[in-house]
Every structure is written in structure tokens, then in C-alpha cells.
Amino acid sequence: MNLKNKINPDKLPSHVAIIMDGNGRWAQRQGEHRIFGHQNGVKAVRDTTEAAAELGIKYLTLYAFSTENWNRPVEEVNALMELLVHTISIEKDTLNKNNIRLLAIGDLKSLPPKCYDELQEAIRDTSGNTRMSLVLALSYSSRWEIVDAMKQIAAKVKAGEMQADQINDEVVSAHLTTAGIPDPELLIRTSGENRISNFLLWQIAYTELYFTDKLWPEFSKEDFYTALIDFQNRERRFGLVSAQLNSK
Ligand code: IPE
Ligand code: IPE
Ligand code: MG
């Protein structure tokens, strides 16, 4: 039986988030420049998006560029932005063909104008698609997002639009850039690093974490299926005890 057939379609996560890490190391291992690794990471993005859509997953969020990544050498940042513009313009037709909607989270205004425009155009041109949402995290960091939400909420309280004691989980969630998107049930990180690197800190409160040593450019559909099978074999207790879950 192949891996895909081992996935239970009734127990699929509706949202999978991925920290796509290891492009630079993948390139350097073969004596190439780090940018070569980013270029080769695009295939893994394509394959994973296709695999998720085929399975019926509703949201796939990919961490493509963090707020902290702006501090990398300028040539690498520029190459990543170029690659982004190029990839979005090339892949837009495929997204439409596959009925996939593009969304983006992060401090998008900080992107170079060409990148920002290309992104907004792709978001607009795919907005009617309903099979899956592909969410790109760009210039994203969770602390930035939470601080930004705090500012919006504080401003509303100050303006008398809401009371401080009305602030609850739902209100905070509704002011994050992920408003309207369900929390991920599964978070995958490639490249053997066991950390979150400022990604979706609020949203992953009860998310299952899956770490693999595979570097992002070598991450395949089979690796994605393996992560899903691992997820499906876990017991998600949400603070309860096993017996309570089994008596439901
Ligand atoms: C992930 O790969 C892509 C981005 C962060 C943009 P890296 O570029 O972090 O690759 P490593 O971790 O240095 O190998
Ligand atoms: C996390 O990878 C960000 C993205 C995958 C976009 P990094 O390579 O930037 O993370 P650290 O610096 O190793 O924690
Ligand atoms: Mg890295």
C-alpha cells in the first residue's frame, strides 16, 4: 500500500502550516550558492501545494520570509524577493487551473513595491477559487502580528468602540493577520531545527508539531504524506484525559 492510501480522509487536518527551512544548507552541501537552494525550494512548494489540494486540505500556510530574514545579506534578500515576484507570476495560472486561492499574511507593506503589486494582483485574480487557500507568510513574524493586534484593540477601546473586559480569545484572533483562517492542526518544520522561529505563536497553542531532518528542497509529496500519517496516529487531548475522549 502506498503512503497516500494510508491517509484517513476523515481525519485530515483542515489547516497545515509549514516552516520551509534548509534551502541554504541544501545548496551549500553541493558547493552551490545559497540562492540556488531557494530556487530549488520552489519545486517543493509546488509539490506540497498539489499534494495538499489533492487530499482536500482547505488551508496550507507556508512560511516563506520572516521579519528577521530582512537582516540577511542584501544580495540574498534581493534574490528572494526577485524569486517571489517571478514565481507568483508564473504560478498564477496553475493556481487558477487548480481552483486554489492565494492569501498572504505579514507586514506586506514592507515588501518592495513590485513584489507587493504582483502579490496583490495574484490574490485578486485567484480570489474566487474555493478548493484550497494557499497562505504565504511574507515579512511575517508572530510577535509583530500580536503587537499589531494589541495596537488595533487598544485603539478601539480608546475610541469607546469596545470595553477592555470584552477582550477575549476570539477578539485577539480576529485582529491577527490570520483572522478568518482556522488555527493549524499540524505544523511541519523541515531541516532538523526544533524551533518555531516566531511563526504563528498564538495560533499554534494546540497544534501538533512535526519536525523532519529533510531539507526543504528535498521535501516530497511522500514526506508530506508521512507527516500526515504521523499526525493521524496522535491523540489530541486538549487538556482532557484519554478516557474522556474515548467515551465521546
Ligand atoms: C529557508 O531556508 C528559506 C528562508 C528562510 C527564506 P534557509 O535560507 O533558512 O536555509 P538554511 O536554514 O540556511 O539552510
Ligand atoms: C524560518 O527560518 C523562517 C522561514 C522559513 C521563512 P530561518 O532559517 O529564518 O530560522 P532560524 O533563523 O534558523 O531560526
Ligand atoms: Mg534556515
Side-chain angles (χ1 to χ4, degrees):
M1 193 152 95
N2 67 23
L3 282 174
K4 194 178 179 185
N5 293 337
K6 286 191 186 159
I7 297 170
N8 178 351
D10 299 326
K11 276 181 72 180
L12 275 177
S14 60
H15 183 179
V16 178
I18 307 184
I19 302 174
M20 312 184 288
D21 197 17
N23 293 350
R25 275 165 285 168
W26 181 84
Q28 282 167 338
R29 269 179 207 176
Q30 36 206 312
E32 297 282 351
H33 200 275
R34 295 178 54 83
I35 291 161
F36 183 69
H38 298 312
Q39 289 161 346
N40 281 273
V42 176
K43 186 182 181 302
V45 171
R46 217 178 277 132
D47 290 350
T48 309
T49 305
E50 198 177 277
E54 283 167 357
L55 286 169
I57 288 167
K58 298 310 283 181
Y59 293 89
L60 176 68
T61 297
L62 301 177
Y63 202 5
F65 194 84
S66 73
T67 308
E68 289 78 14
N69 290 150
W70 288 115
N71 299 320
R72 289 191 178 193
V74 65
E75 318 81 69
E76 182 167 345
V77 171
N78 290 343
L80 275 165
M81 291 300 144
E82 281 285 317
L83 186 65
L84 191 71
V85 175
H86 185 68
T87 308
I88 291 171
S89 71
I90 285 188
E91 299 295 327
K92 204 168 64 182
D93 288 349
T94 314
L95 291 176
N96 276 327
K97 225 174 281 157
N98 291 310
N99 195 13
I100 298 171
R101 173 172 74 145
L102 185 71
L103 297 173
I105 56 171
D107 186 12
L108 306 179
K109 290 267 159 57
S110 67
L111 295 170
K114 195 163 182 300
C115 210
Y116 179 84
D117 293 345
E118 195 75 48
L119 184 67
Q120 292 302 340
E121 194 182 304
I123 290 171
R124 200 178 53 237
D125 294 353
T126 61
S127 62
N129 297 339
T130 53
R131 187 181 181 201
M132 185 179 84
S133 295
L134 173 64
V135 187
L136 290 184
L138 288 168
S139 191
Y140 175 88
S141 87
S142 198
R143 286 189 173 182
W144 164 81
E145 176 185 51
I146 291 170
V147 168
D148 191 64
M150 297 300 165
K151 286 181 187 163
Q152 293 175 50
I153 295 168
K156 286 187 184 171
V157 172
K158 194 175 172 203
E161 289 169 31
M162 69 186 295
Q163 303 296 317
D165 62 7
Q166 291 175 314
I167 301 169
N168 56 21
D169 281 16
E170 283 72 38
V171 170
V172 175
S173 293
H175 289 83
L176 299 173
T177 58
T178 50
I181 299 174
D183 290 342
E185 291 97 328
L186 172 64
L187 171 66
I188 300 170
R189 182 174 188 146
T190 58
S191 92
E193 308 295 357
N194 297 332
R195 57 175 173 264
I196 301 299
S197 303
N198 216 348
F199 191 44
L200 302 177
L201 298 178
W202 173 273
Q203 297 88 339
I204 60 169
Y206 260 108
T207 299
E208 297 296 327
L209 309 180
Y210 178 88
F211 298 100
T212 166
D213 287 338
K214 281 281 176 89
L215 301 173
W216 180 249
E218 58 195 20
F219 190 79
S220 65
K221 283 189 172 186
E222 273 63 36
D223 294 317
F224 187 62
Y225 299 149
T226 304
L228 288 170
I229 293 164
D230 190 282
F231 166 81
Q232 294 190 330
N233 285 318
R234 297 184 189 189
E235 182 176 65
R236 305 188 70 207
R237 287 191 288 279
F238 300 99
L240 305 183
V241 299
S242 227
Q244 289 175 294
L245 298 169
N246 295 328
S247 69
K248 269 187 191 163

